[in-house]
Amino acid sequence: MAKKLQRKVGAQQPKAQKQAAQGGAPKQKSERAPLIGGRSVSKKALAEFTSQLAVLLDAGLPVTRCLRILEGQMSPGLLKKTLAEIVDDVESGTSLSEAMAKHPKVYDELYASMIRAGEASGAQEEILNRLAGFMEKAEEVKARVKGALAYPVAVMVVAALVLSLVFIFVVPSFRDIFVQQFGTIDAMPPSTRLIINAGEHLKVYWWLYLGAILGLIILHRVLNERVFGYRRFCDGVVLKLPIFGKLIHKSLVARFSRTFGTLVQSGVPHLAALDIIGTSISNVRMSEAVDRIHSSIREGAGIAAPMAESEMFDDLVVNMVEVGEQTGELDRMLHKVSDRYEVEVDRRIDITIQSIEIVLIVVLAVVVGFIVFALLAPLLTLMDRLS
């Protein structure tokens, strides 16, 4: 298990031997697809291509003609070029799934596996529509979660910049005025001395703090990519954060359930589906839970038991999966779980944003109020002296 996870964190090793034994293509992890007209393409554009391909196939057109039509209406870019190569491969006798698997940066393993399942079942149009709907839903949830996480960061960055400008440029101006009246800083009120000293310190050493912040960010990214233990620790801490932890946890469960349910519904074997999910999950703790489920199935056990043993799935998820295993409707139960958790993610996002707004307003009010009081205190002292 550790080896498998380390390959996801460090330099990835293709699992050629394992895949050859299972009759599949080597796995290559790709979290983002290259894009139309640029170096990358949005999942939305790929979902639109998938949906259009399903419509054309449903109309009874041959695969190669469908691909040629879609290629002709695309703007110049990497996706158009890749599609042209796929058409050439298909015309030479290669299956569509194998042709797409040659371009893992555009069509990841999940995409290629579902296309392969569609070819095997003869329901290619239905599989493509299901895949397009899955991609659109997954990106919608992902975008909402990212938006909820980005909002407080953006507000805090702007607030920090504004307060830094106040300390560096505004407070020193008041210092000169107060020194003329009081003669020395030591004669000023304690709050005023604190603000003035902080402003002078930031004016001299602002570059040190900025460099330290940038250095910590760079160090975190390097360690997160190269040190498995550090990444595992960070992923565990993220799930335990007071406000964001539950949001991230629920979004991970929703994504796992939606992906697993879609793959099972499309006819992908459970072990192969879990392999695909394991390579597409970025959180190490969730990836470990998926590995336990994979090992349990490979040893002949069920899915619900290892899910219950992990800390990633609550009783509701475990019980619904257990019912799905017993009734043979695992895919339907997984979709119900994902639907429920996606609703909870939406609700949690609203609660998170409201909570953050209240906290930020209170914190900023206290900080700004203290600065105003510190700058007004000397004026009040001078008025008392004059009276």
Side-chain angles (χ1 to χ4, degrees), residues 58-125:
D58 191 48
L61 298 178
V63 174
T64 53
R65 185 177 177 186
C66 295
L67 296 176
R68 288 294 186 193
I69 293 173
L70 294 176
E71 178 197 355
Q73 69 183 25
M74 286 182 182
S75 302
L78 183 56
L79 186 58
K80 183 182 180 72
K81 179 181 178 181
T82 302
L83 192 55
E85 295 177 3
I86 290 175
V87 175
D88 292 338
D89 287 340
V90 173
E91 288 178 342
S92 64
T94 305
S95 67
L96 180 60
S97 60
E98 292 177 354
M100 287 182 169
K102 295 180 181 180
H103 308 277
K105 292 184 178 180
V106 181
Y107 308 97
D108 59 17
E109 189 175 355
L110 170 63
Y111 197 106
S113 296
M114 291 193 66
I115 296 296
R116 190 180 303 116
E119 292 171 340
S121 63
Q124 190 70 280
E125 301 84 358

Side-chain angles (χ1 to χ4, degrees), residues 9 218-228 230-231:
V9 180
I218 295 173
L219 179 62
H220 166 73
R221 298 194 63 170
V222 171
L223 292 176
N224 197 52
E225 292 177 359
R226 300 184 180 182
V227 182
F228 172 76
Y230 178 81
R231 178 177 176 181

Side-chain angles (χ1 to χ4, degrees), residues 178-283:
F178 294 152
V179 168
Q180 292 177 2
Q181 299 297 326
F182 288 90
T184 177
I185 295 179
D186 295 334
M188 300 178 191
S191 58
T192 307
R193 293 201 303 269
L194 177 62
I195 293 296
I196 290 176
N197 290 333
E200 292 180 342
H201 180 79
L202 285 176
K203 190 173 183 179
V204 176
Y205 296 105
W206 64 268
W207 57 271
L208 183 61
Y209 291 101
L210 180 61
I213 293 173
L214 294 177
L216 288 175
I217 293 174
I218 295 173
L219 179 62
H220 166 73
R221 298 194 63 170
V222 171
L223 292 176
N224 197 52
E225 292 177 359
R226 300 184 180 182
V227 182
F228 172 76
Y230 178 81
R231 178 177 176 181
R232 186 178 187 277
F233 170 77
C234 290
D235 287 346
V237 170
V238 165
L239 295 176
K240 295 180 180 179
L241 291 176
I243 298 178
F244 301 106
K246 289 185 177 180
L247 173 61
I248 297 173
H249 179 217
K250 290 181 181 298
S251 66
L252 286 171
V253 175
R255 180 178 176 83
F256 165 83
S257 302
R258 177 72 65 185
T259 308
F260 196 15
T262 302
L263 289 168
V264 172
Q265 187 180 26
S266 302
V268 179
H270 291 178
L271 286 176
L274 290 170
D275 273 334
I276 295 169
I277 296 171
T279 58
S280 64
I281 294 177
S282 59
N283 187 281

Side-chain angles (χ1 to χ4, degrees), residues 114-135:
M114 291 193 66
I115 296 296
R116 190 180 303 116
E119 292 171 340
S121 63
Q124 190 70 280
E125 301 84 358
E126 181 182 350
I127 296 293
L128 286 168
N129 283 321
R130 194 178 298 158
L131 179 58
F134 162 78
M135 294 173 66

